[in-house]
Amino acid sequence: MIFTSDNWAGAHPSIAASLTAHSTGFAPAYGTSDLDRKVEQKFNEVFEREVAVFFVGTGTAANSLALSAVNRPGGVSFCHSEAHVIADECGAPEFFSHGSRLVPVDGLEGKMDPANLEAQIARFPAGFVHAGQPMAITLTQATESGTVYTPDEIRAISAIAKAHQLPLHMDGARFANALVALDLTPAQMTADLGVDIVSFGGTKNGCWCAEALVFLDPAMAEQTPFIRKRAAHLFSKSRFIAAQFDAYFENDLWLDIARHANAMSARLQSGISASSNSRLAWQSPANETFPIVSKALAKQLAAKGAMFYEWTPPRSASHLVGSDETMLRLVTSFATTQDNVDQFIDIVG
């Protein structure tokens, strides 16, 4: 019953097999192999347009280099107040963009509220050098709360970005989980709604170590080859990232993996909702579930082999948790089975 994180799951067997298949022989380095080119073309097909793709090793790198690519002197980027980019990346986005800042925007269920976003942008009027200048908006899809921005919600944030001439970045560490939850194509969830840059995550969805920075307008990526190299994320043997993505996309494996993870999360949520000893903090359509249980039940679950994180509630939801209660975060993956889920539900009772 391991629900700590989808990062704890290993590599999907098909992805592991692809790594093994490409581990022998010789291939041109630094992203110039035939396999690299094949996968770059696949990204064009996935997003239904010519894109610029840069493989990196971590989601933190993808997010940091995305913001670095659009940096301005005194630059300010806007994100949800509890987004991974501001809460869990140890200042990497600011470091790699040489002192830009992240400004938090409040909103329920992990999603930026458009009115709050407008209010925060207004704090940086054009030409007021002391405050600095807006440079980007970044949203997380799926969010840190396991929720997803709907097309209308993305469109509303995109309209604000365009009105202020700001690029819109999507942190897609769980991109596939959001995509299948919404039943959209990648283009429908990004470019068609005004998203400019995507941090495309594979690691949480069955890959070993595969992330990509995707510019939906290649013209925006002119300096990114140098930015990536300077940040030490130009892999010499990049064919091993390409090998993962090659298997990831084959026969829509990536979507099947995400559907399974989401289905296991939905099964957890159904069981928790039916329990008299727990309740959901909110509904989560992706692969993260947030139940509220007594502290005694949390200890009982851990004693019987369940692994999870006790979670600090978002500020907007802190009132949901009583003094003798705790919020848990349960994350499912391709490796989660129905037996894992049902065993957890049986203990919850």
Side-chain angles (χ1 to χ4, degrees), residues 205-230:
N205 196 42
C207 290
W208 170 71
C209 172
E211 307 287 317
L213 178 55
V214 182
F215 291 83
L216 300 174
D217 176 5
M220 295 183 66
E222 182 180 356
Q223 297 301 316
T224 304
F226 301 96
I227 293 170
R228 179 177 60 168
K229 175 64 176 179
R230 185 178 60 185

Side-chain angles (χ1 to χ4, degrees), residues 78-83 86 104-108 110-112 138 149:
F78 302 88
C79 63
H80 188 269
S81 53
E82 284 145 347
I86 195 171
V105 178
D106 289 333
L108 299 177
K111 296 186 278 190
M112 287 182 286
T138 175
Y149 285 89

Side-chain angles (χ1 to χ4, degrees), residues 127-266:
F128 186 63
V129 297
H130 304 285
Q133 59 180 329
M135 73 183 209
I137 299 170
T138 175
L139 60 84
T140 310
Q141 181 78 324
T143 75
E144 293 300 292
S145 296
T147 57
V148 298
Y149 285 89
T150 66
D152 285 345
E153 289 169 333
I154 298 173
R155 192 177 289 109
I157 291 174
S158 174
I160 294 170
K162 298 302 180 282
H164 294 278
Q165 297 182 322
L166 299 175
L168 178 58
H169 166 252
M170 177 179 285
D171 174 1
R174 294 186 174 96
F175 185 93
N177 301 98
L179 192 72
V180 299
L182 291 170
D183 193 24
L184 298 174
T185 67
Q188 288 170 339
M189 197 172 77
T190 58
D192 292 354
L193 300 175
V195 175
D196 299 298
I197 310 170
V198 178
S199 294
F200 185 93
T203 304
K204 286 179 167 59
N205 196 42
C207 290
W208 170 71
C209 172
E211 307 287 317
L213 178 55
V214 182
F215 291 83
L216 300 174
D217 176 5
M220 295 183 66
E222 182 180 356
Q223 297 301 316
T224 304
F226 301 96
I227 293 170
R228 179 177 60 168
K229 175 64 176 179
R230 185 178 60 185
H233 269 268
L234 175 58
F235 282 61
S236 58
K237 297 183 180 180
S238 62
R239 60 169 152 154
F240 290 109
I241 296 182
Q244 294 173 75
F245 279 131
D246 189 40
Y248 190 64
F249 289 131
E250 184 72 23
N251 296 321
D252 287 338
L253 175 66
W254 67 300
L255 301 179
D256 291 339
I257 291 173
R259 289 189 186 101
H260 174 80
N262 287 9
M264 292 301 96
S265 187

Side-chain angles (χ1 to χ4, degrees), residues 67-68 70-76 97 100 133-136 164-167:
L67 296 180
S68 181
V70 298
N71 191 22
R72 299 175 180 175
V76 174
S97 54
S100 75
Q133 59 180 329
M135 73 183 209
H164 294 278
Q165 297 182 322
L166 299 175

Side-chain angles (χ1 to χ4, degrees), residues 67-123:
L67 296 180
S68 181
V70 298
N71 191 22
R72 299 175 180 175
V76 174
S77 298
F78 302 88
C79 63
H80 188 269
S81 53
E82 284 145 347
H84 195 277
V85 72
I86 195 171
D88 294 291
E89 293 185 339
C90 196
E94 296 94 331
F95 177 82
F96 282 102
S97 54
H98 302 284
S100 75
R101 289 166 290 160
L102 289 161
V103 171
V105 178
D106 289 333
L108 299 177
E109 297 183 341
K111 296 186 278 190
M112 287 182 286
D113 178 88
N116 292 339
L117 176 59
E118 283 278 21
Q120 288 290 60
I121 294 174
R123 294 176 51 225

